[in-house]
Amino acid sequence: MKFSAKDLVGSVQRLMATAQNGLEVIRFGGLTHDVESSPFEVVERRRMYRLRHYFPDDTTPGRPVALLVPPLMVNADIWDVNVEDGAVGILQRGGIDCWVVDFGSPASEEGGWERDLADHVLAVSSAIDAVTEATGSAVHLMGYSQGGMFAYQVAAYRYGKGVQSIVTFGSPVDVVAGMPFGLPYGMVSDVADFLADHVVTRLPITDSMVRIGFQLLDPMKTAKARIDFLRQLHDREALLPKERQRRFLNSDGWVGYAGPAAADLLKQFVAHNRLMLGGFVIRDQPVSLAELKCPILAFVGEVDDIGQPAAVRGIVRAAPNAEVYEANLLAGHFGLVAGSMATNQTWPLVRQWIDWLERDKALPPEIHPMTEHVDSNRPRSAATRAVHTAASLAEAGAGVGKALEGIASNTMRGSVELAGEAARALPRLTRLGMIQPHTRISLGRLIAEQGRRAPLKDLFLFEDRVHTNAAVNVRIDNVVRGLVSVGIRPAMRVGVIMETRPSALATVAALSRLGAVAVLLAPGSELARALEITGVDTVVADPENLRQAVGAGARVLVLGGGDSRQLDIPLSDKVIDLEQIDPAQVKLPAWYRADPGLARELAFVLVTGTGDRLETKYISNHRWALSAFGTATTADLNRRDTVYCLAPLHHSSGLLVSLGGAIAGGSRIALARSLDPAQFAEEVHRYGVTVVTYTWTMLRDILDAEVFPAGHRHPIRLFIGSGMPAGLWRRTTEQFAPARVLEFYASIEGDVVLANVKGVKRGCKGRPVPGTAKVELVAYDPITEEILVDGSGYARRCADNEVGLMLGKASDGVDISAGGLRGVFAPGDSWMPTENLFRRDSDGDYWLIDRKDTVIRTQRGPVYGQPIVDVLNDITGVDMEVAYGLEVGDHCIAVAAVSVRKGFRLEPKDVTEALRALEPDKRPDLVYVVDEIPRSSSYRPSTRAVQAAGRPTPGPDTWWYNRASDAYEVLTDEDAAKILGDN
């Protein structure tokens, strides 16, 4: 091969140019060049940010205004990598007034390393106020990566005030749907929690750590960029146009990340996915993206492994009240806002988006309404991105690799999630198994444990305020001091009659911490009678129930509403205001021990029923813990859940399932003051509610109000409670799909707890919860009220689908002298009978049939009420129903009363077809329509109220069962004379 002098000279010149340029890079960090940033002035300086106004000399009136927000780890210059090709330059040439929020570097700002996430959100909110005041226009709020997350949060926090539209670039919303690199969410969530609690708050994340971390996320692209730079190092003119961008990525563009802000991000948006579910907290205020109503444009990078497309598209579900659009680009995370792709596509599209909104121009086809699921044949693995970068022809091979990766990833994700569920359940079941009669366990103790373990974690939310474990425990301890000062002692029974509010929870927990017994009373109940049968002479009441409590003759301790509210009744030795007692001045006596309650000791007394059926339920600490841990295990409640307590605390479902399950599961508790459908719809999104508790027909009011139309997106995954009728169950699952219903049953006496975990069989009570009492069904004669025995004298176990009395195995140390049974199936065994009759189907699931004392004793034998109401409630037009026995002369007939849903009409044929599900002898003799069926304070349809309204009368809305025609027919006067004995 021959070398000419010209070739030799060229090679030497190239070598010298490479050396010269290389030396310049080593000395100055890059090539010196004349490219400058776009002109701007800092119009506002605050502790948290500086507000830049770009091209301040351009005073063209009426221009649209854009406010751009950078992510925390990237310098604000991301919006102006160079004058010609940067975001602010392109937008300015399109007639848009550009403003930029500059958070600065935590390393150089005063208190920078102490900033948390809320500081940045409030800073952007302040910047919006400043820009709107200066320009007189609402802003188009734009954010890249986490800056886009800030944009969503700020707009929701402000309820959209001052924001005309939101534009985001690679900003993830649904972390679960788009874990980077296909990692399983359960594992990432646990790691994020650990990092937030133990690492990032102690170790500052410096700019060099951020730079290296981002480069390691895409090592192939980083290596390729450096190789390309070295190969072109001799050609200065070729490198200069991209030099500022290169230096930005290699060194200048990165800033540190404050530990508290990183901890907030990991906790709220990774571990708990609050941006998607709602309920993220800004300065003790819960916020949800459901508040967003302005137009939203989200840019999606098809090869973005940080803001994955599935995670970015979560905004369409998280903001159901907004019009959400998307623009898909074949770009990575950084390429969405900088580089040739951004110059040629991103920023021109942003300009056209603003033109569409403000200048009545057409929307480009690249921008279209976002859909939740988008099929894409573009693989997004690391290998595929390298192939895309190199523009090779190996896409087919990468696609196969991606398919295999997807299978492995999904398998791993499912395995890890299953393992995570088991890991949460096993410690709870283990703790249940370790509880002995002398074990110290109580509500107050569990709350104290949470306070020690995670003092700053949210415990409950009420009226848009968040209360942490630490704050709640301080309040509980203060209430304890107030109670001690007025003479409350351990084991004393103290009534609690309060509306649902934080003070009610604090009172119940304080009595538990003190070792006293909380007697929970329903507002509006027969209070004097309830106090008499429970032996209570002191009641804690809120201001709303003060007058009723005083009228019942009890000593009243007033709590709640703060110390500045006015009371209707003057204070005296019988009316004491606990809010006026200074806890710091109360010296605790020597006998006081916090949370002394033992498992065997009485913790709560519930009062149920009315009139002569007023009953008391005695709940020990063990019984409460059994339901609490059983609920948490069965519902898989965890720290990511927010439990919305519709069920009041004075109902067993509220105390045992709602409060107990949430505390045992480490979940947040959202307290609802009352059942208000409109408020429910708002708070479900604002609090990020994932679990809703109920009692009886409570959800009927929400469904009838149509505040959640079918198909409306929501974060709810589960409804848990007791007493939901079968038809209401069907309506609930249809309206709130894919959420399911978890129905519980808990006996008054004993430790029987059943749960319908699968939720497939509507109306079924399910099977025993792990760790609770073993159950058996024994043959029972409801007429003679006797257990039937076999030839050996032991109780006869029921066959499948045979109605029998449910018994629960008595735990060791339980006193069975009050209603217990011994020697039931074997010598010396001990069992506690429940008050209910059940049947067990062939699958082993239990169905409630009736209470022992409400079985209708007709001439043809027993008729059970629960199957009747279940069948009737499943008729579409039926609202509520009750079944009862009506005395007619010397015998009793079975009667069912129904109310009809608004807009529907009930015909006799509807009743006939529905009741064919029951045997003829088990059907009601009469079915009649009433205008309304009153309900109790726990939303249970009141049979007594229907009976008190009068007997059924002949007419077109009263039907009798004609056995000859096997149909229900209109009750005439002649028929009434025969059936009701009417003359």
Side-chain angles (χ1 to χ4, degrees), residues 773-789:
K774 176 185 177 182
V775 301
E776 289 283 1
L777 279 187
V778 295
Y780 181 79
D781 186 339
I783 304 298
T784 63
E785 300 183 355
E786 293 180 349
I787 294 175
L788 305 181
V789 299

Side-chain angles (χ1 to χ4, degrees), residues 349-634:
L349 286 175
V350 171
R351 186 182 63 231
Q352 293 176 72
W353 164 262
I354 295 177
D355 287 344
W356 174 64
L357 289 172
E358 297 212 21
R359 296 164 176 163
D360 295 327
K361 294 189 178 180
L363 191 66
E366 292 87 351
I367 298 176
H368 52 84
M370 180 178 286
T371 54
E372 190 172 336
H373 301 289
V374 176
D375 295 328
S376 175
N377 295 322
R378 295 169 177 166
R380 295 190 303 272
S381 67
T384 309
R385 293 199 320 276
V387 170
H388 165 70
T389 304
S392 73
L393 300 177
E395 289 191 22
V400 173
K402 181 63 179 181
L404 295 176
E405 174 202 333
I407 295 172
S409 174
N410 291 337
T411 303
M412 180 182 178
R413 183 180 292 109
S415 301
V416 171
E417 295 294 350
L418 186 60
E421 185 174 338
R424 289 188 293 271
L426 286 175
R428 297 168 186 166
L429 296 177
T430 300
R431 186 167 185 178
L432 269 181
M434 294 173 62
I435 296 177
Q436 301 299 320
H438 59 276
T439 303
R440 286 180 64 185
I441 189 165
S442 63
L443 168 62
R445 188 175 182 84
L446 289 186
I447 294 178
E449 286 178 4
Q450 286 204 21
R452 288 190 295 269
R453 189 164 51 242
L456 299 182
K457 179 182 177 295
D458 306 338
L459 178 57
F460 69 86
L461 307 94
F462 181 73
E463 293 188 342
D464 293 342
R465 302 299 296 176
V466 178
H467 303 261
T468 64
N469 283 318
V472 172
N473 273 289
V474 168
R475 172 65 167 167
I476 291 171
D477 289 337
N478 288 341
V479 174
V480 166
R481 289 177 177 269
L483 293 172
V484 169
S485 71
V486 296
I488 304 301
R489 297 293 183 269
M492 284 183 61
R493 294 189 181 184
V494 179
V496 179
I497 178 167
M498 305 178 81
E499 305 295 337
T500 301
R501 62 196 312 158
S503 294
L505 188 151
T507 300
V508 174
L511 290 170
S512 174
R513 182 156 296 174
L514 183 57
V517 178
V519 180
L520 301 177
L521 306 164
S525 61
E526 302 173 51
L527 187 56
R529 172 68 176 148
L531 296 180
E532 178 186 346
I533 65 174
T534 56
V536 169
D537 58 13
T538 300
V539 173
V540 180
D542 53 16
E544 291 86 344
N545 291 283
L546 171 60
R547 186 171 295 279
Q548 182 188 6
V550 171
R555 182 176 72 138
V556 184
L557 312 176
V558 188
L559 190 71
D563 56 5
S564 61
R565 74 275 191 269
Q566 298 294 319
L567 302 180
D568 295 339
I569 295 178
L571 300 180
S572 65
D573 59 339
K574 298 281 286 183
V575 180
I576 302 172
D577 189 355
L578 292 181
E579 297 288 358
Q580 293 187 5
I581 297 174
D582 183 0
Q585 302 302 316
V586 178
K587 182 179 179 180
L588 291 174
W591 54 257
Y592 175 73
R593 294 291 183 275
D595 305 311
L598 303 181
R600 66 172 180 265
E601 294 176 344
L602 184 63
F604 308 101
V605 179
L606 301 180
V607 180
T608 63
T610 57
D612 57 357
R613 287 191 176 179
L614 207 62
E615 298 177 340
T616 55
K617 294 183 179 182
Y618 297 96
I619 300 172
S620 66
N621 283 311
H622 177 263
R623 178 71 175 78
W624 179 84
L626 193 72
S627 292
F629 285 103
T631 300
T633 302
T634 306

